[in-house]
Amino acid sequence: MNIEEGSLVLIYIDRKRKKIVRVERGREYASDRGKIDLSELIGRRYGEVVETSLGFKAYLLMPTLEDILYSFSRRTQVIYPKDVALMAIKLGAGKGKRCLEGGTGSGFVTATLSWFGCEVHTFEVRREHLETARLNLRKFGLNENVTFVKASLKEVAEVYPKEYFDLAIIDVGDPWKVIDSVWEVLKGGSSVAFWVPTFNQLEKLKAAIRGKFIWIEALEVSERRLKVEEGATRPEQFGITFTGYMAIVRKVNNK
Ligand SMILES: C[S@@+](CC[C@H](N)C(=O)[O-])C[C@H]1O[C@@H](n2cnc3c(N)ncnc32)[C@H](O)[C@@H]1O
C-alpha cells in the first residue's frame, strides 16, 4: 500500500524510538538517531525501510490501535490495551453497538470502542480530561461516532432514554454511586465491565449491584514480555506488573 500525503506512518527505528507521524510536505521527523524529511515518504510503500540523516534504518509501518493508544496524551490513569481489548470482546463490542462509557479520562477506552465500530457516548466530569480525550481521538480520526458528554455518569438517565445502550464500560472513582442510573439506560441482559484498582472495591461493587445485575466474573489480566535471544530466551526483567481488576456483570430485571 502506498504512502500518500496525509497518511499516518509509524516510523520505527527500535522499540524506544518509534513515532506516529502524519506525512506532510515541509515537515520532518527528528530523534537522536537522526532526521527524516517527511515529504520523501510520499509514494513509498508501507514496510519499506529508509535511512535517517545519521545513517540509521527506519521502517515505515502502518500504525495499529496499540501504537495509536500509546501515542495519546495522558492526563489520567488509563485502561491498558491488554485489559480494554478483553473487555471489548467480553462485552460484545462491535459495529452498530451503542456503548456507554464513564469516565472518559484520556480516551483509551473511547478510542478502542470507536475502533471496534461502536457508537460511543462517554461521560466525564472534568472538562480538561474531556478536551484531552477529544483531541487524542480527533488526531487519528476516531471521534466520528463519539459523543462527549460533560456530566457525571450519575446523570446519564437524565440525558438518555431507558434501555438505550447495549453495553457499558465504567472506570470512575466510586462506581457503586452510578449503578442505579446506569441500570436505567441499559438494555435487559446487556453486559457491563467495571474497572477497579483494589480487592475491597471489588467486594463493595459486588454487594452494590445485587438485585440489578448478576455477577459474572472478576479477573486480572497479566502480560509478561519475553526477551527472545538464541539460547537465552527469558522473561524481561522490567515491565508493568499491575494495572487493575475488571468485573463483568449483566443487567437483569428482578421485579
Ligand atoms: C482513570 S480515569 C478513566 C481513564 C479511561 N478509562 C482511559 O482508559 O483513558 C477516570 C476518569 O473518571 C472521571 N470521573 C470520576 N467520577 C466520574 C463520574 N461520576 N462521572 C463521569 N466521570 C467521572 C475522572 O475525572 C477521570 O477522568
Side-chain angles (χ1 to χ4, degrees):
M1 194 172 155
N2 276 347
I3 296 169
E4 298 167 4
E5 190 163 5
S7 298
L8 291 171
V9 177
L10 177 74
I11 295 187
Y12 186 99
I13 296 174
D14 56 37
R15 252 178 66 189
K16 287 189 186 145
R17 296 172 188 83
K18 53 180 181 174
K19 190 171 187 210
I20 300 177
V21 296
R22 194 173 287 282
V23 173
E24 284 167 12
R25 290 180 199 279
R27 296 194 63 183
E28 63 179 21
Y29 160 84
S31 81
D32 62 341
R33 294 286 157 99
K35 294 178 183 173
I36 297 168
D37 178 351
L38 296 185
S39 39
E40 285 180 11
L41 305 190
I42 298 169
R44 289 186 175 273
R45 291 176 71 80
Y46 285 102
E48 278 187 25
V49 58
V50 295
E51 268 197 6
T52 70
S53 55
L54 295 178
F56 288 91
K57 278 184 179 175
Y59 297 92
L60 309 176
L61 307 181
M62 224 177 280
T64 63
L65 176 59
E66 187 179 45
D67 299 323
I68 290 173
L69 293 177
Y70 281 131
S71 77
F72 276 10
S73 303
R74 292 191 215 177
R75 277 182 178 267
T76 63
Q77 288 289 331
V78 298
I79 302 185
Y80 280 83
K82 71 179 174 72
D83 298 308
V84 70
L86 186 61
M87 282 180 180
I89 290 167
K90 282 185 179 285
L91 303 188
K95 200 165 169 48
K97 291 289 172 80
R98 213 177 259 154
C99 308
L100 172 65
E101 188 204 0
T104 316
S106 306
F108 271 49
V109 171
T110 330
T112 303
L113 292 173
S114 172
W115 179 278
F116 271 68
C118 301
E119 175 189 315
V120 191
H121 300 259
T122 183
F123 279 66
E124 172 58 59
V125 285
R126 293 184 57 179
R127 188 171 299 284
E128 67 275 24
H129 293 179
L130 209 56
E131 279 317 304
T132 301
R134 202 196 297 269
L135 288 175
N136 280 338
L137 268 79
R138 192 186 297 158
K139 201 168 162 189
F140 298 100
L142 289 170
N143 58 326
E144 274 176 23
N145 286 321
V146 179
T147 304
F148 293 91
V149 185
K150 160 76 182 67
S152 168
L153 198 54
K154 268 187 265 179
E155 293 156 39
V156 62
E158 293 157 38
V159 182
Y160 289 98
K162 283 186 193 308
E163 309 218 333
Y164 190 70
F165 293 102
D166 297 297
L167 59 100
I169 297 184
I170 297 174
D171 178 14
V172 300
D174 296 317
W176 30 88
K177 291 188 180 165
V178 302
I179 282 165
D180 289 350
S181 36
V182 167
W183 185 88
E184 291 284 342
V185 296
L186 279 173
K187 293 179 184 165
S190 56
S191 301
V192 183
F194 288 93
W195 184 251
V196 294
T198 63
F199 275 7
N200 69 309
Q201 289 187 327
L202 280 177
E203 292 168 9
K204 195 166 174 180
L205 186 63
K206 187 169 184 182
I209 58 138
R210 206 160 288 144
K212 290 194 175 288
F213 296 88
I214 51 169
W215 187 265
I216 303 296
E217 59 182 341
L219 59 99
E220 178 186 357
V221 178
S222 302
E223 183 179 63
R224 191 158 72 143
R225 284 176 193 279
L226 302 179
K227 192 168 184 174
V228 179
E229 281 168 15
E230 199 177 345
T233 297
R234 62 194 185 282
E236 286 190 359
Q237 281 174 296
F238 303 103
I240 298 163
T241 50
F242 172 71
T243 53
Y245 307 108
M246 76 179 77
I248 308 292
V249 306
R250 297 188 82 157
K251 175 177 170 173
V252 288
N253 298 301
N254 270 341
K255 291 172 186 165

